[in-house]
């Protein structure tokens, strides 16, 4: 099949690749620009889904509902969470419920509602190649339209002045456990697929959860509640020194503001690289309510004497792993502080080991000669979220949630989604369709040098001692 041009005479202003929350935010705010932008957004999946394997009953977002797709940039947008509630005739129930942190399943439903109403979203479309057409001074994008069975139905081509990459992250599998993931007899699954395998896990005699973040905690709690008292048979292991709470103080949360993002971006590359690992508790800790719920459940199981049959051990690394027969897995463990080693036999493993940014290299292979990278091979990304490109390419490629190394740990945070989308659209249009606040935090990050210092106005009623020359 030969790609069929769809818009040779009508190029888009912006094409988005990937439709997760961040590009959905961009599409929603682009829809509200007066005079209109020509946009198209493409997604390989056939419908919007946000972490479907982790929509555990009762699990809530770790950000307030105001961190929806649009509100922090445009509170009057028809695509806000409150607009969704109004459309579903649920505003008063929500008002009475007094929920500042909504359930994860409700956020997923809100985003899906938005994706079903917004124009210009194309699901079931796989992006195959991105090129620069120097004659037309446009990006050229080839795609494959997929049927419900995943088979190719048609090829197409579109052109655009600018691109927004929102291809998201992918589950991270530690090297020692990669060989075990594919064998089905003793399940080794990533937390992203937890609900799809929950019944299989509960049928296992012994379960091990690896990972000290929010997902690991929620899965451990869900498994614990589902197992009979005295026969829990669950291990929970983590590399961190403790099952630590997430930083959630009000001044701590100011590290998820635009002010902090600007400060972080202005640091040297070495300073940024040194800082990110030390901020793990900002985004890899556990919600304090979840920690409390786990302790309450464990305590409840001691009321009639005895201790629950479960082990929680932080400070542990999985060195290697292997299968014993067909239904058991042996984990070789090392405790870093004790410098001791041990073995654990289990029947199922849940890897709550986080996510990694999907590499952009395959998608941007046709543009590789034009991309600028740092000494570690990572893309240079400017303050407007643009990849650094050769001047010969006049269009911009914006990225969403691929810039932690340049913009900090707030890159995947939903609370910065609307602000980042507005920043991109303000730059793309060369105007300011979404006026953004100059200051967003009480904390002043960094010292202002003389070159950076804000001008101090002369107090009224005072005369300068010397005249300016």
């Amino acid at each position: 099949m030969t790609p069929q041009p769809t818009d040779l005479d009508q190029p888009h202003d912006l094409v988005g690749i990937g439709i997760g929350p961040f590009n959905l935010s961009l599409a929603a705010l682009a829809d509200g620009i007066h005079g209109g932008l020509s946009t198209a957004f493409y997604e390989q999946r056939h419908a919007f889904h946000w972490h479907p394997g982790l929509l555990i009953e009762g699990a809530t977002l770790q950000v307030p509902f105001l961190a929806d797709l649009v509100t922090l940039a445009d509170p009057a947008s028809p695509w806000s969470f409150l607009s969704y509630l109004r459309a579903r005739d649920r505003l008063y129930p929500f008002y009475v419920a007094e929920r500042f942190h909504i359930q994860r399943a409700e956020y997923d439903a809100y985003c899906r509602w938005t994706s079903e109403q917004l124009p210009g979203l194309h699901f079931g479309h796989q992006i195959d190649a991105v090129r620069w057409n120097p004659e037309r001074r446009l990006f050229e994008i080839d795609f494959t339209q997929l049927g419900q069975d995943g088979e190719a139905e048609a090829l197409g081509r579109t052109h655009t002045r600018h691109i927004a990459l929102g291809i998201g992250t992918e589950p991270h599998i530690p090297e020692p456990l990669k060989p075990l993931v594919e064998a089905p007899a003793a399940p080794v699954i990533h937390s992203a697929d937890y609900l799809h395998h929950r019944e299989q896990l509960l049928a296992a005699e012994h379960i091990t959860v690896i990972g000290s973040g929010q997902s690991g905690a929620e899965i451990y709690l869900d498994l614990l509640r589902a197992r009979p008292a005295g026969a829990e048979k669950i291990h929970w292991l983590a590399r961190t020194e403790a099952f630590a709470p997430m930083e959630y103080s009000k001044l701590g949360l100011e590290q998820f503001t635009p002010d902090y993002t600007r400060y972080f971006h202005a640091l040297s590359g070495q300073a940024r690289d040194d800082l990110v690992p030390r901020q793990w508790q900002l985004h890899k800790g556990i919600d304090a309510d979840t920690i409390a719920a786990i302790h309450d459940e464990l305590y409840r199981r001691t009321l009639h004497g005895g201790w629950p049959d479960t082990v929680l051990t932080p400070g542990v690394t999985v060195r290697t792993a292997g299968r014993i027969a067909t239904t058991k897995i042996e984990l070789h463990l090392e405790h870093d502080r004790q410098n001791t080693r041990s073995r654990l036999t289990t029947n199922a493993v849940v890897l709550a080991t986080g996510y990694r940014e999907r590499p952009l290299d395959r998608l941007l292979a046709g543009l590789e000669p034009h991309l600028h990278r740092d000494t570690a091979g990572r893309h240079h990304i400017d303050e407007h979220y643009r990849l650094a490109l050769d001047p010969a390419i006049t269009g911009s490629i914006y990225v969403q949630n691929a810039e932690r190394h340049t913009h900090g740990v707030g890159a995947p945070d939903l609370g910065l989604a609307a602000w980042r989308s507005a920043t991109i659209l303000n730059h793309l249009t060369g105007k300011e369709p979404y006026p953004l606040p100059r200051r967003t935090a009480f904390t002043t990050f960094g010292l202002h040098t003389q070159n950076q210092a804000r001008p101090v106005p002369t107090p009224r009623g005072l005369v300068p001692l010397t005249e300016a020359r």
Side-chain angles (χ1 to χ4, degrees):
M1 292 183 285
T2 302
Q4 297 300 309
T6 57
D7 61 351
L8 281 175
D9 297 319
Q10 296 292 329
H12 294 295
D13 296 310
L14 175 67
V15 163
I17 300 176
I19 305 178
F22 297 135
N23 261 359
L24 189 60
S25 165
L26 188 63
L29 287 174
D31 181 66
I33 292 180
H34 181 70
L37 283 176
S38 173
T39 65
F41 288 77
Y42 296 93
E43 167 60 49
Q44 185 170 332
R45 297 171 301 174
H46 284 87
F48 182 93
H49 294 288
W50 184 71
H51 296 302
L54 279 171
L55 301 182
I56 299 170
E57 185 176 354
T60 61
L61 287 184
Q62 292 170 280
V63 292
F65 74 90
L66 292 173
D68 62 13
L69 300 171
V70 294
T71 293
L72 291 175
D74 182 11
S77 169
W79 306 113
S80 69
F81 178 71
L82 292 180
S83 295
Y84 158 74
L85 292 177
R86 181 180 61 185
R88 293 297 176 90
D89 202 19
R90 295 180 59 228
L91 265 176
Y92 269 92
F94 181 74
Y95 162 68
V96 173
E98 295 186 328
R99 288 180 178 170
F100 200 50
H101 291 80
I102 62 175
Q103 291 196 16
R104 207 175 284 155
E106 187 166 27
Y107 178 80
D108 175 63
Y110 152 65
C111 288
R112 189 158 43 256
W113 170 81
T114 305
S115 72
E116 291 168 353
Q117 311 297 319
L118 266 177
L121 305 189
H122 305 276
F123 290 91
H125 284 67
Q126 172 187 291
I127 301 301
D128 301 317
V130 178
R131 294 178 297 273
W132 176 250
N133 186 320
E135 287 77 24
R136 300 193 63 202
R137 300 173 73 82
L138 295 170
F139 290 106
E140 193 170 80
I141 300 174
D142 291 344
F143 60 82
T144 301
Q145 188 172 343
L146 305 174
Q148 290 295 328
D149 57 0
E151 294 295 320
E153 291 188 342
L155 301 180
R157 178 175 295 161
T158 189
H159 295 80
T160 182
R161 297 178 180 87
H162 308 287
I163 294 173
L165 300 178
I167 60 176
T169 56
E170 57 189 5
H172 170 63
I173 309 293
E175 287 295 332
L177 290 160
K178 281 183 178 178
L180 305 182
V181 172
E182 299 301 326
V188 179
I189 66 156
H190 193 273
S191 56
D193 298 316
Y194 170 66
L195 287 183
H196 308 314
H197 297 272
R198 183 175 182 271
E199 295 308 315
Q200 183 186 14
L201 291 167
L202 287 172
E205 181 181 354
H206 184 278
I207 310 169
T208 299
V209 179
I210 300 175
S212 62
Q214 183 68 17
S215 297
E218 289 175 352
I219 289 170
Y220 174 77
L221 178 60
D222 186 60
L223 292 171
L224 182 64
R225 285 170 169 169
R227 304 281 266 200
E232 294 84 1
K233 296 187 182 299
I234 308 173
H235 266 64
W236 184 16
L237 308 175
R239 287 190 306 171
T240 53
E241 296 288 343
F243 296 103
M246 185 174 292
E247 169 58 66
Y248 209 75
S249 65
K250 288 180 171 58
L251 290 179
L253 289 177
E254 289 197 335
Q255 292 173 87
F256 293 99
T257 61
D259 279 9
Y260 184 82
T261 300
R262 285 189 287 262
Y263 156 77
F264 185 92
H265 188 271
L267 295 174
S268 69
Q270 185 61 56
R272 295 193 300 239
D273 288 346
D274 290 343
L275 187 55
V276 168
R278 288 191 268 160
Q279 295 178 309
W280 68 269
Q281 215 166 333
L282 287 173
H283 60 108
K284 291 184 179 180
I286 305 168
D287 174 75
D289 289 341
T290 306
I291 292 177
I294 289 171
H295 193 275
D296 289 347
E297 181 63 26
L298 293 169
Y299 179 75
R300 185 183 67 80
R301 290 169 182 248
T302 69
L303 295 183
H304 302 293
W307 289 71
D309 185 11
T310 181
V311 178
L312 296 75
T313 309
V316 172
T317 301
V318 179
R319 296 188 302 110
T320 59
R323 292 191 180 273
I324 303 175
T326 57
T327 60
K328 293 184 178 180
I329 298 162
E330 186 175 81
L331 303 175
H332 296 187
L333 310 177
E334 181 172 8
H335 194 283
D336 298 332
R337 296 297 182 188
Q338 286 183 322
N339 195 26
T340 54
R341 293 182 176 181
S342 181
R343 297 181 181 184
L344 172 64
T345 300
T346 188
N347 302 95
V349 178
V350 181
L351 301 171
T353 47
Y355 298 80
R356 296 292 185 273
E357 296 170 358
R358 282 197 174 94
L360 306 178
D361 297 346
R362 186 197 66 80
L363 191 61
L364 300 180
L367 297 170
E368 180 57 36
H370 307 287
L371 298 171
H372 297 181
R373 300 176 185 267
D374 63 17
T375 55
R378 300 167 300 191
H379 295 284
H380 282 296
I381 302 171
D382 73 9
E383 66 272 22
H384 304 294
Y385 298 94
R386 295 183 305 167
L387 295 181
L389 299 166
D390 285 342
I393 297 182
T394 56
S396 295
I397 299 179
Y398 301 95
V399 295
Q400 303 226 60
N401 194 12
E403 73 281 3
R404 183 177 296 184
H405 63 290
T406 56
H407 288 70
V409 295
D413 190 76
L414 294 176
L416 286 169
W419 179 79
R420 178 172 51 200
S421 294
T423 299
I424 290 171
L425 291 170
N426 286 353
H427 180 267
L428 184 152
T429 60
K431 302 175 182 177
E432 200 176 34
Y434 293 106
L436 295 174
R438 291 182 176 271
R439 186 172 180 179
T440 56
F442 292 111
T443 305
T444 299
F445 299 103
L447 297 176
H448 289 289
T449 65
Q450 286 185 337
N451 292 335
Q452 296 172 316
R454 300 168 185 169
V456 180
T458 302
R460 291 182 181 179
L462 298 182
V463 178
L465 293 177
T466 59
E467 294 184 2
R469 293 182 179 180

